[in-house]
Amino acid sequence: MIELTNNPIDTDTVLRRVEDESTGAVVLFLGRVRDHSEAQKISAMEYEAYTEMAIRKLEVIEKETKSKWPVTQMALVHRVGKLGLGEVSVAIAIACPHRREAFEACRFAIDTIKQTVPIWKKEYTASGETWVEGFTPKVTT
Amino acid sequence: MMMIAVKLFGPLREITKQDQVEIEVKDGAKVEDLLTVVGKHFLGISEHLQVVSCSVGNEYVAKDTPLQNGDVVGLLPPISGG
């Protein structure tokens, strides 16, 4: 399951997407909007995506993760639009036979999202709006 | 001449107030040549153009990649999802 959504991410729904009675471990990672960055208080965060390419890159991450670990079910959901403090910006759920590979696969998925998926975020603070300093993806083709 | 659809994101979209623009480049032009034309077309984005990654067909490409008529090129500031 891969999704970019304008709506709040419902973690119960994400977990239901990875239900599989043959697996003993499910790892759920949630990225949330925190109330500060460096010295600044944050009031909100806005996410923007290059939708077609972001979906394509999430599909690649799903395929790569499944090729490296015995993942039976996997969900990658990223929010776009303006989020308040504490709201979930990204959810990753991974089901594997055992916990070790589920943790490793989930770590790989979130790290690779941050390094390859064309999404941008802007912080809202008392002094204004600032695009967050980002990561320059590697050219792989 | 070739017509290239250029998609703009984040600060580039905000400064130019456009999310897509059609840009004409010479036959045989590369991604880096397109960036030069875009920089002349929009003032005030050169700082951002220096750090963009570029995509063609939803894949990141090197700046010396040759363009083809009708390509869709994304100008992608450093990414910050997650």
Side-chain angles (χ1 to χ4, degrees):
Chain A
M1 175 208 190
I2 284 170
E3 191 180 0
L4 285 180
T5 179
N6 272 297
N7 301 316
I9 294 173
D10 178 59
T11 51
D12 287 343
T13 304
V14 175
L15 283 172
R16 274 201 295 278
R17 299 303 291 260
V18 300
E19 275 178 10
D20 184 338
E21 289 181 353
S22 71
T23 59
V26 171
V27 168
L28 173 67
F29 172 82
L30 302 178
R32 302 200 313 158
V33 177
R34 64 170 170 260
D35 68 355
H36 67 280
S37 82
E38 295 173 10
Q40 297 238 63
K41 280 270 185 192
I42 288 174
S43 59
M45 194 79 89
E46 188 164 1
Y47 288 81
E48 171 181 334
Y50 180 0
T51 304
E52 304 94 312
M53 185 169 170
I55 295 284
R56 163 80 187 130
K57 289 296 164 191
L58 289 169
E59 287 170 351
V60 170
I61 292 169
E62 180 179 33
K63 195 174 166 192
E64 278 186 17
T65 308
K66 286 180 170 176
S67 76
K68 290 173 189 280
W69 290 276
V71 174
T72 57
Q73 298 289 335
M74 181 166 176
L76 300 173
V77 185
H78 205 297
R79 180 91 181 269
V80 289
K82 195 168 178 179
L83 281 68
L85 299 182
E87 283 199 77
V88 174
S89 57
V90 60
I92 299 170
I94 291 189
C96 286
H98 305 287
R99 66 186 183 282
R100 180 177 173 165
E101 56 248 28
F103 276 116
E104 288 177 0
C106 192
R107 173 70 185 264
F108 172 81
I110 184 60
D111 287 352
T112 313
I113 284 175
K114 285 178 168 284
Q115 292 165 6
T116 66
V117 181
I119 294 177
W120 301 270
K121 66 186 168 202
K122 187 166 66 171
E123 296 172 345
Y124 287 75
T125 68
S127 57
E129 305 166 9
T130 314
W131 289 97
V132 174
E133 291 281 323
F135 181 88
T136 300
K138 289 194 184 86
V139 174
T140 52
T141 54
Chain B
M1 299 295 278
M2 304 188 291
M3 286 304 289
I4 307 295
V6 178
K7 287 178 171 282
L8 304 163
F9 296 94
L12 288 171
R13 178 186 53 71
E14 273 192 347
I15 295 167
T16 62
K17 297 184 168 54
Q18 296 190 67
D19 55 14
Q20 182 165 328
V21 60
E22 302 288 322
I23 297 282
E24 196 173 48
V25 294
K26 290 178 183 167
D27 289 340
K30 298 176 178 178
V31 169
E32 59 203 2
D33 302 317
L34 174 71
L35 290 175
T36 303
V37 177
V38 170
K40 288 177 182 162
H41 192 82
F42 294 110
L43 298 175
I45 60 169
S46 59
E47 192 181 317
H48 292 287
L49 289 179
Q50 283 172 17
V51 297
V52 290
S53 299
C54 297
S55 67
V56 176
N58 294 335
E59 294 295 342
Y60 296 107
V61 296
K63 303 279 170 45
D64 61 357
T65 303
L67 293 167
Q68 297 186 2
N69 189 39
D71 272 348
V72 177
V73 176
L75 302 191
L76 316 174
I79 60 176
S80 52

